[in-house]
Amino acid sequence: MNASPWDARARDLGLLFLRVSAGLFLLWVHGLPKLLDYSAQLQRIEDPFRLGANLTLMLAIFAEVLCPLLIVAGVAVRLACLPILAVLLVALVVVHPQWSLAEGQFAWLLLILFSSIFIAGPGRLALNDRFAGALRYV
C-alpha cells in the first residue's frame, strides 16, 4: 500500500519533531548541566563500572551532548542513539535498580523516545538523507 505524498510529509515532519524535541530535551536537562558544571558533576556522578569519575563523566557528556546534537542535525541518527540508550539502561538497571516505575518515569520516557528514533530512523528531513550508500541508514 503506497502512502500519499501528504502521509509521507506528515511522517517526516513527525520524525523531525521527535528527533529535535527529544535531542534538545536530553541536551538541555542532562547534557549541558554536566558540561557547564563539570567539576561539581565530577563529585556527584555515579561510577558503576569503576572506570573513574572523570572517564564516566566524559562518557556521559558524549552520550548527552554530542549524540543529541547529531540526532537533532540528522547525522548518524541510529548510531547516535546507541550511547544514549546504553546510558539510560545503565542508569535504570545498574545505578538505580531500586527505582519504582514512578521514580524512573523520566528515564523510561527517554528510553521510549530514543528507542523509537532508533527504530524509525531520522526520516527524510535529515542530513543523512543527503548521504549516499550505507551512510544514509546509520
Side-chain angles (χ1 to χ4, degrees), residues 41-107:
Q41 293 290 326
L42 203 53
Q43 304 303 316
R44 289 192 298 228
I45 193 155
E46 303 280 343
D47 187 16
F49 301 117
R50 308 272 188 244
L51 300 173
N54 197 34
L55 180 58
T56 301
L57 183 56
M58 290 176 73
L59 290 171
I61 288 172
F62 171 77
E64 296 173 359
V65 175
L66 181 62
C67 291
L69 289 173
L70 290 171
I71 290 169
V72 168
V75 176
V77 171
R78 286 189 169 115
L79 195 60
C81 284
L82 293 177
I84 296 169
L85 294 173
V87 166
L88 290 168
L89 285 171
V90 166
L92 286 167
V93 175
V94 178
V95 177
H96 302 291
Q98 76 283 2
W99 276 356
S100 68
L101 187 59
E103 290 170 317
Q105 66 182 321
F106 184 72

Side-chain angles (χ1 to χ4, degrees), residues 13-64:
L13 284 172
L15 289 171
L16 175 66
F17 178 77
L18 181 64
R19 276 191 301 110
V20 170
S21 58
L24 291 178
F25 195 64
L26 179 63
L27 177 67
W28 189 262
V29 174
H30 287 281
L32 287 180
K34 284 181 177 71
L35 185 64
L36 298 176
D37 199 11
Y38 188 86
S39 58
Q41 293 290 326
L42 203 53
Q43 304 303 316
R44 289 192 298 228
I45 193 155
E46 303 280 343
D47 187 16
F49 301 117
R50 308 272 188 244
L51 300 173
N54 197 34
L55 180 58
T56 301
L57 183 56
M58 290 176 73
L59 290 171
I61 288 172
F62 171 77
E64 296 173 359

